[in-house]
Amino acid sequence: MSNSVERALRILVELADGPSTISELGRRLDVHRTTSLRLLRTLEEERFVRRADDGAYRLGPRLAALAAAALDGLDIRDSAARHLAALGDTCGQTIHLGVLEGHQVMYLDKVESRQAVRMYSHIGALAPLHATGIGKVLLAYLSAGERDDLLGASPYPRYTPNTLTDRAALDEVLDRTARQGWALDDFEHEEFIHCVSAPVFDAAGRVAAAISVSAPSMVLDRPGLLAHTEDLTSTARAISEELGWSQR
């Protein structure tokens, strides 16, 4: 990469943190003022930066348009694939990627377990929001009104003795999920399958999807499942970052 291109890119990265003057940019990038001015004028002509009345430079509209086009072109499944595979290699259990589809969860991708006992779930399958880890995560970051629209009135369908069918009890779990950053499906959809799930955020900070680690009880007990929570949430953050999310 040429020095000029590298310096221009570094200027854009610096301006992403906030407006800066020519002097400030030159000092931070360790380049002469005239070099900074030459690069900024070129970037300004192409509308990648703009100079405000106070003399400070800011990111320009053309860069915003390019960023929007790049984000629109991101595919959650493609962005997540290698991260899901790595998580599957790490934990050896079934990995799911799910999104909201109407009033249900739809599985977008799946990494099969290395265990002899396999789950019958498949890509494209639908599952209930209130009784799955992924569903709880998708609900947890919504307002009460948005939850109303998706869930309707309780009681909700019961799939196992552990299914939460009451709205107040479900809201309590969803609020805890939002605070801790992950959800537990405690044998609520299938009697012998439990999972932990974590949110995937998009560039606007909205929950775009969720991922989960699932296992049959005869393969992995509760402490063993929860031991994967850190790897799960770390993977979810990595996918979120690929979608343009930033924790700042």
Side-chain angles (χ1 to χ4, degrees):
M1 185 184 299
S2 72
N3 286 340
S4 294
V5 172
E6 182 180 3
R7 286 169 177 166
L9 290 175
R10 288 173 63 196
I11 285 174
L12 295 177
V13 171
E14 288 292 331
L15 291 180
D17 289 330
S20 293
T21 64
I22 295 175
S23 298
E24 289 169 342
L25 287 169
R27 185 168 59 255
R28 290 205 296 267
L29 300 178
D30 193 25
V31 296
H32 195 275
R33 177 187 170 87
T34 55
T35 301
S36 298
L37 181 59
R38 175 175 53 81
L39 292 172
L40 284 165
R41 282 178 174 169
T42 300
L43 291 170
E44 188 176 17
E45 287 173 4
E46 297 298 327
R47 297 187 297 118
F48 286 109
V49 304
R50 60 184 178 85
R51 187 172 183 269
D53 292 340
D54 61 3
Y57 284 85
R58 292 166 170 77
L59 294 179
R62 190 171 185 186
L63 191 64
L66 288 176
L71 291 173
D72 286 343
L74 288 176
D75 180 271
I76 293 176
R77 186 177 176 187
D78 287 346
S79 298
R82 65 185 178 89
H83 298 287
L84 300 182
L87 180 60
D89 287 341
T90 298
C91 69
Q93 306 300 330
T94 302
I95 310 299
H96 287 112
L97 169 69
V99 295
L100 186 65
E101 178 64 26
H103 293 245
Q104 295 176 287
V105 171
M106 183 177 74
Y107 295 121
L108 275 187
D109 208 349
K110 178 184 180 182
V111 176
E112 290 285 1
S113 166
R114 293 198 299 266
Q115 310 301 321
V117 180
R118 298 290 182 89
M119 294 180 60
Y120 69 82
S121 61
H122 59 86
I123 296 170
L126 298 174
L129 287 167
H130 70 285
T132 58
I134 286 179
K136 288 179 187 177
V137 166
L138 295 174
L139 289 168
Y141 295 85
L142 300 177
S143 67
E146 290 170 318
R147 291 180 191 174
D148 286 340
D149 291 340
L150 288 172
L151 290 170
S154 60
Y156 307 120
R158 183 179 294 281
Y159 297 93
T160 76
N162 286 3
T163 304
L164 296 173
T165 61
D166 176 70
R167 176 61 185 270
L170 180 59
D171 277 339
E172 184 178 342
V173 169
L174 296 179
D175 292 343
R176 183 167 67 247
T177 293
R179 291 194 301 271
Q180 68 190 13
W182 55 271
L184 174 68
D185 170 357
D186 190 23
F187 309 107
E188 295 162 56
H189 187 217
E190 300 174 69
E191 287 197 41
F192 303 105
I193 302 293
H194 54 172
C195 85
V196 284
S197 182
V200 172
F201 297 96
D202 63 17
R206 298 182 297 260
V207 175
I211 62 173
S212 65
V213 176
S214 303
S217 56
M218 71 282 289
V219 171
L220 199 64
D221 61 12
R222 169 79 70 82
L225 178 69
L226 295 180
H228 294 302
T229 302
E230 184 173 348
D231 287 330
L232 171 75
T233 54
S234 177
T235 300
R237 284 194 299 272
I239 299 170
S240 300
E241 288 169 0
E242 291 226 12
L243 295 176
W245 172 80
S246 173
Q247 202 167 15
R248 289 185 302 175

